[in-house]
Amino acid sequence: MKKIKHNNTQHELNNITLKLHHNEMRDCPEEVLLALYRYTSGYHKIAKLIGEQIEPNVNCTFKLEHVQRGSIELKNKIGYKPSSINFIAYLITKLLKDDTSDNNLDKVVNDLEKETTEYNVQNSSNDELFENNETYIDKLSLAEALDDFSKASELLEKAEYFEIYNEENGLKNNYKINPHYKSTVSIKELKKSKPIPFDDKDTLIALRPCNVGQGRWYVYSVITKRSFYTSISDYKWLSEYQSGKMDVVRANDIIHVNLQCNIVKYGNKTLKNINSVITKVHNIERSTFMTEDDQVNLF
């Protein structure tokens, strides 16, 4: 039986610059650093939130490379494609164009999900569409990110502002953030609406296994009757699997696991599994539904 080859390939990290333009000789210099912290935190949260939807098989790697002189300029590396980085920056500028409150948060989330879905459709091949047609943006996570941007804006003096930029195909893309943005969303109230935790044994059907790195797997749960992406935190099993000590998992193979996730109600009817992690892989069963040739054709 075919074995999986060991592969240490890491997802490519691309440049992303976060720059805070501040006034010279300004009072309260600590506020500049606090504002930069809030902006960077808000960016990181939204990048992860959107990135999970447009590159679901990639973990959000976000690293500081160095700090540039002059206006505070953080040179970073992030594990998404340049086109995804640009899309995320575009969405952030659009999100922060107008203030957010409890009254319009649902519309903000719905518009964000719609635009992200449209992006996925435009940038996916036909065989990937079935995986990307259910965009989900967690309201609480988004509200916490928006709160970071709002608190950062409060610390700015007149003429100060924050921008995001990167380069794609030799062209520099700049995204200036609204320096007057405010969010008054009640995060405390959002936290009262808690998802249903699930932590138990489950039987998963592997729809799209990820056989290298620590990317996420696309699976179908026999217990919850839903398809979703999940990561694997059972590193002992993952290490042995990726070192070639086990047979390669193919599409439609059955995986007996312990699964942790949150089940949330989405809209009026739909339930979704979010923040899913396989904490233990018990065993794998070869699929009897498809031949090996048919399974290979899925890729």
Side-chain angles (χ1 to χ4, degrees), residues 151-198:
K151 284 185 168 58
S153 296
E154 294 173 2
L155 296 167
L156 298 184
E157 290 187 348
K158 186 176 180 180
E160 293 181 331
Y161 66 95
F162 179 79
E163 69 175 342
I164 302 166
Y165 65 85
N166 77 306
E167 292 187 9
E168 182 181 8
N169 300 324
L171 298 176
K172 188 174 179 180
N173 303 292
N174 285 62
Y175 300 90
K176 182 179 178 180
I177 302 303
N178 175 12
H180 308 295
Y181 172 79
K182 290 184 179 180
S183 173
T184 56
V185 174
S186 175
I187 294 176
K188 185 177 180 180
E189 289 300 315
L190 285 176
K191 286 183 176 180
K192 292 180 180 179
S193 178
K194 294 183 178 179
I196 303 170
F198 179 89

Side-chain angles (χ1 to χ4, degrees), residues 20 39 47 126 164 195 238 247 265 287:
L20 179 59
Y39 276 127
N126 290 334
I164 302 166
L238 200 60
D247 297 330
K265 186 175 181 181
S287 169

Side-chain angles (χ1 to χ4, degrees), residues 80-264:
Y80 294 127
K81 296 180 293 187
S83 57
S84 297
I85 295 171
N86 281 331
F87 178 67
I88 291 168
Y90 157 75
L91 283 183
I92 290 175
T93 58
K94 190 171 181 178
L95 276 169
L96 305 182
K97 183 179 178 181
D98 299 310
D99 294 345
T100 312
S101 67
D102 292 325
N103 293 331
N104 68 351
L105 179 61
D106 284 342
K107 183 180 185 303
V108 169
V109 172
N110 291 337
D111 289 347
L112 185 58
E113 289 176 336
K114 181 180 178 181
E115 193 148 4
T116 304
T117 297
E118 289 174 353
Y119 176 87
N120 282 335
V121 171
Q122 293 171 3
N123 292 275
S124 299
S125 59
N126 290 334
D127 61 343
E128 292 176 325
L129 290 180
F130 77 97
E131 298 182 18
N132 296 321
N133 62 0
E134 291 187 355
T135 301
Y136 172 77
I137 301 297
D138 180 62
K139 282 199 293 187
L140 176 58
S141 298
L142 179 62
E144 290 175 335
L146 296 178
D147 184 62
D148 278 329
F149 283 104
S150 180
K151 284 185 168 58
S153 296
E154 294 173 2
L155 296 167
L156 298 184
E157 290 187 348
K158 186 176 180 180
E160 293 181 331
Y161 66 95
F162 179 79
E163 69 175 342
I164 302 166
Y165 65 85
N166 77 306
E167 292 187 9
E168 182 181 8
N169 300 324
L171 298 176
K172 188 174 179 180
N173 303 292
N174 285 62
Y175 300 90
K176 182 179 178 180
I177 302 303
N178 175 12
H180 308 295
Y181 172 79
K182 290 184 179 180
S183 173
T184 56
V185 174
S186 175
I187 294 176
K188 185 177 180 180
E189 289 300 315
L190 285 176
K191 286 183 176 180
K192 292 180 180 179
S193 178
K194 294 183 178 179
I196 303 170
F198 179 89
D199 184 358
D200 206 342
K201 291 183 178 179
D202 201 347
T203 300
L204 306 177
I205 298 174
L207 299 180
R208 187 175 290 260
C210 179
N211 291 326
V212 295
Q214 295 183 9
R216 298 196 296 167
W217 295 46
Y218 191 60
V219 299
Y220 175 82
S221 167
V222 174
I223 303 297
T224 64
K225 309 295 183 185
R226 287 185 288 276
S227 302
F228 52 93
Y229 278 96
T230 185
S231 59
I232 299 177
S233 66
D234 186 350
Y235 297 116
K236 182 177 183 295
W237 179 89
L238 200 60
S239 176
E240 292 180 357
Y241 174 67
Q242 293 181 345
S243 66
K245 296 179 181 178
M246 304 178 188
D247 297 330
V248 63
V249 176
R250 298 183 182 275
N252 269 39
D253 283 353
I254 297 170
I255 314 172
H256 297 280
V257 303
N258 193 87
L259 181 72
Q260 286 184 355
C261 68
N262 290 324
I263 301 173
V264 297

